[in-house]
Amino acid sequence: MEDIEDVISSGPPPGLRLPLTSLSMKSRRKPKARPLQDDINPSPLIPGTQTIFVKTFGCSHNQSDSEYMSGQLSAFGYALTDSPEEADLWLINTCTVKAPSQSAMETLISKGKSAKKSLVIAGCVPQGSRDLKELEGISIIGVQQIDRVVEVVEETLKGHEVQLLSRKTLPSLDLPKVRKNKYVEILPINVGCLGACTYCKTKHARGHLGSYTVGSLVERLRAVISEGVKEIWLSSEDTGAYGRDIGVNLPILLNALIAELPADGSTMLRIGMTNPPFILEHLEEIAKVLRHPCVYAFLHVPVQSGSNAVLGAMNREYTVSDFRTVVDTLIRLVPDMQIATDIICGFPGETNDDFRRTVALIKEYQFPHVHISQFYPRPGTRAARMKKVSSIEVKKRSRELTSVFESFNPYKEMEGRIERICITEIAPDGVHLVGHTKGYVQVLIIAPDSMLGTSADVKIASVGRWSVIGEVIRIPKQAEIRAALDDPVSNACEKPYSCMCKPECSSKISTVDVSSTENGWGPTFIASMKPLLLRRRRKDSIPRSKDTIDRAERWIRFDFSWLDRMLVCGIAVSLLAIAVLLSRLLPEAVAVKYV
């Protein structure tokens, strides 16, 4: 559950490319003779006609960067694919936090070279380790140069090696974007941080703190809400440090953003990761924000260790007592508050006693989310030169802490409760939809895809270690109609799957208690829908059945609009007129026949 995130960059508008003299290019290979192609297939030399595979490693900030790069490539005409085999070029957005993610990058680069694919490497690895041997002969683009990805891709496809790493002003927030989840916007609020942790390689890539202005962030929030986004994640290396470089602070930003959120709660805000030092100054103001109906009562606060000695060696700039103050204050002031945290096991110099303090801290608070990581020495960091704990001991401590964490049952008190959830995604099993409570607890429900982007009231039927199972008891009426018809497009709104994307649509939505049998939408109907919904989903639709359509048609007869009624009356009158006419003409025709 890492929220170590970043930013995007300003530059030329989509389709307008800067002079290529500003790029550092090397001729990687001589152009090969290509066979003549017919008029149907575009020439591979024409920019914007190729297919791109984008692979992202790391945090949600990296995911946002990839979405921005994908948006620019798509706007320029490039096709995006999830199949690496079909792609002409692979764009790999890398993470340098831990050795395994960098190893995965190196493996993918090797596969790309073997498949003779054009490669562009983006993200923290090339920015923080530009002399890495694995990057030799490959085009690279830095974390603050993503607004020029089209240029780099174009030149790479021509056979040139491009290196674009120089830093500049913060990238623009209004670049084209292709979201992985169309209902979730990852909004970077700043880049870099003010810390100097001894183990952190990300600081080498992301640099010092650079915050976006409140005005630019508010403008971006307005734009994404108008596009139908239902969750907005604030992304940052350290959310609590926001604004210290431009004379503002986090509460000022949060209050400005909250003022723009729809009053009906159709769009929720999630605050990103924050280290303890800077949020300590604003705890009561942050608690007030977290109590707001449109803000998830959830915060990611890494502690890393339960020992002050280890925190000192990490140069974390806070104590265990400071962390306790943050957690205790938020739990006291915010109902149903959920805290996530991080632990590094086996940091250099960590003794058995230090580790026991960490275990005791985790047992005391029983956090619902703990990201447990073994220490990985990152080249160029101070911690890489410290005396290491044996790898056997590091793995042992990691396994022990994981076992302790997995023994918790943090959601046991939720069983039987009624919760309002915001539904934004399909679960990995392809069967359930995923919604989140106010405390950002994951709720799995059986429901049609047409409920994506909507809210619902659910009863928690059972609880598990990582999520809970909910039964829908109240859903938007329009979503019910679309569920029955298996039609993802609402007639009341131009945007699919949601009737809350416009105020005028939202005002028309009524809620229906599906626990009752009124209008035929009681438990019997929901039960009859379950076999249909339990099938695996195909992208944006679920399989249709004749019974489902017949039930929907029977129900809709009781909910005609005034225009429908006029049409029905007109048809009835026409049929009656035809019948009268036939009743007069038929006897005359029979009489003529017999004469």
Side-chain angles (χ1 to χ4, degrees), residues 477 480 512 516-522 525 551 554-555 558:
K477 186 174 180 181
E480 285 194 347
V512 178
S516 71
T517 57
E518 181 183 0
N519 292 332
W521 284 85
F525 179 83
R551 280 192 294 271
R554 288 198 299 272
W555 185 81
F558 298 97

Side-chain angles (χ1 to χ4, degrees), residues 301-591:
V301 188
V303 63
Q304 304 299 9
S305 175
S307 164
N308 285 334
V310 175
L311 291 178
M314 293 178 173
N315 197 31
R316 290 289 286 171
E317 299 179 344
Y318 60 86
T319 63
V320 176
S321 178
D322 292 332
F323 174 78
R324 287 179 178 276
T325 298
V326 171
V327 174
D328 293 343
T329 302
L330 294 179
I331 291 176
R332 176 172 55 85
L333 296 178
V334 183
D336 299 322
M337 183 69 199
Q338 299 283 314
I339 302 285
T341 195
D342 298 346
I343 296 292
I344 297 176
C345 289
F347 189 82
E350 182 187 65
T351 64
N352 225 16
D353 184 59
D354 293 328
F355 177 66
R356 290 294 141 213
R357 293 174 186 270
T358 299
V359 173
L361 181 71
I362 298 302
K363 281 184 176 179
E364 177 183 350
Y365 285 99
Q366 297 195 15
F367 298 105
H369 301 282
V370 179
H371 181 262
I372 300 169
S373 174
Q374 299 175 28
F375 171 73
Y376 294 99
R378 305 302 293 130
T381 63
R382 281 188 284 163
R385 300 189 296 271
M386 297 178 181
K387 185 177 181 180
K388 299 174 182 59
V389 179
S390 73
S391 59
I392 295 176
E393 183 65 23
V394 172
K395 292 177 182 178
K396 177 184 174 183
R397 293 175 185 178
S398 175
R399 286 194 295 266
E400 179 183 342
L401 189 58
T402 299
S403 178
V404 169
F405 166 61
E406 291 181 347
S407 70
F408 303 154
N409 187 7
Y411 307 129
K412 60 183 178 181
E413 302 298 329
M414 292 184 66
E415 190 165 358
R417 282 167 51 176
I418 307 298
E419 295 279 354
R420 169 64 59 89
I421 63 172
C422 180
I423 306 162
T424 57
E425 60 183 311
I426 297 174
D429 64 6
V431 173
H432 294 85
L433 295 188
V434 179
H436 291 96
T437 68
K438 177 70 162 63
Y440 212 68
V441 177
Q442 180 175 265
V443 182
L444 304 179
I445 62 171
I446 296 294
D449 292 8
S450 52
M451 287 192 65
L452 286 167
T454 68
S455 297
D457 290 338
V458 300
K459 182 176 182 180
I460 306 303
S462 62
V463 300
R465 176 60 189 86
W466 311 107
S467 58
V468 302
I469 302 295
E471 293 180 353
V472 178
I473 61 172
R474 186 173 290 106
I475 59 180
K477 186 174 180 181
Q478 291 290 340
E480 285 194 347
I481 297 172
R482 298 197 306 279
L485 291 176
D486 193 18
D487 180 3
V489 181
S490 166
N491 292 328
C493 179
E494 295 177 355
K495 295 184 184 296
Y497 302 110
S498 173
C499 275
M500 293 193 286
C501 52
K502 295 180 181 178
E504 60 266 33
C505 294
S506 178
S507 63
K508 297 177 183 178
I509 298 176
S510 60
T511 57
V512 178
D513 186 349
V514 298
S515 63
S516 71
T517 57
E518 181 183 0
N519 292 332
W521 284 85
T524 302
F525 179 83
I526 298 299
S528 66
M529 288 284 284
K530 279 188 177 181
L532 173 69
L533 299 175
L534 282 171
R535 302 176 189 174
R536 281 194 170 271
R537 305 169 191 272
R538 295 195 308 269
K539 294 183 179 181
D540 293 326
S541 64
I542 57 175
R544 301 179 67 175
S545 72
K546 185 176 183 300
D547 291 341
T548 305
I549 298 173
D550 290 343
R551 280 192 294 271
E553 290 173 347
R554 288 198 299 272
W555 185 81
I556 285 178
R557 286 202 302 269
F558 298 97
D559 193 37
F560 282 161
S561 67
W562 65 269
L563 181 59
D564 295 327
R565 293 189 179 95
M566 289 181 64
L567 291 172
V568 170
C569 290
I571 293 171
V573 171
S574 299
L575 291 174
L576 182 60
I578 293 171
V580 171
L581 185 60
L582 289 176
S583 67
R584 291 189 177 184
L585 293 177
L586 191 58
E588 295 179 7
V590 172

Side-chain angles (χ1 to χ4, degrees), residues 26-83:
K26 302 175 184 177
S27 179
R28 189 174 57 195
R29 61 179 182 265
K30 295 181 180 179
K32 296 181 180 179
R34 301 179 182 271
L36 295 176
Q37 299 183 353
D38 55 35
D39 294 336
I40 297 176
N41 297 320
S43 167
L45 298 178
I46 299 175
T49 61
Q50 293 82 14
T51 301
I52 311 295
F53 167 67
V54 180
K55 174 65 178 178
T56 307
F57 293 98
C59 62
S60 60
H61 197 145
N62 260 21
Q63 181 61 51
S64 179
D65 285 353
S66 291
E67 291 175 353
Y68 272 116
M69 288 190 285
S70 297
Q72 293 171 85
L73 291 168
S74 180
F76 196 74
Y78 290 101
L80 303 176
T81 180
D82 292 328
S83 172

Side-chain angles (χ1 to χ4, degrees), residues 73-114:
L73 291 168
S74 180
F76 196 74
Y78 290 101
L80 303 176
T81 180
D82 292 328
S83 172
E85 293 80 14
E86 297 175 1
D88 299 296
L89 179 142
W90 293 3
L91 172 60
I92 306 172
N93 195 3
T94 62
C95 173
T96 191
V97 172
K98 293 184 292 187
S101 59
Q102 185 164 324
S103 296
M105 173 210 75
E106 293 168 0
T107 300
L108 193 58
I109 289 175
S110 178
K111 289 181 178 179
K113 288 180 177 179
S114 299

Side-chain angles (χ1 to χ4, degrees), residues 4-8 61 65 188 190-192 202 206 235-237:
I4 309 174
E5 301 139 357
D6 252 284
V7 276
I8 334 322
H61 197 145
D65 285 353
N190 57 263
V191 58
T202 305
R206 298 291 188 178
S235 170
S236 170
E237 276 73 62

Side-chain angles (χ1 to χ4, degrees), residues 12-30:
L16 177 62
R17 290 163 287 163
L18 296 180
L20 297 181
T21 53
S22 62
L23 301 178
S24 171
M25 294 188 299
K26 302 175 184 177
S27 179
R28 189 174 57 195
R29 61 179 182 265
K30 295 181 180 179

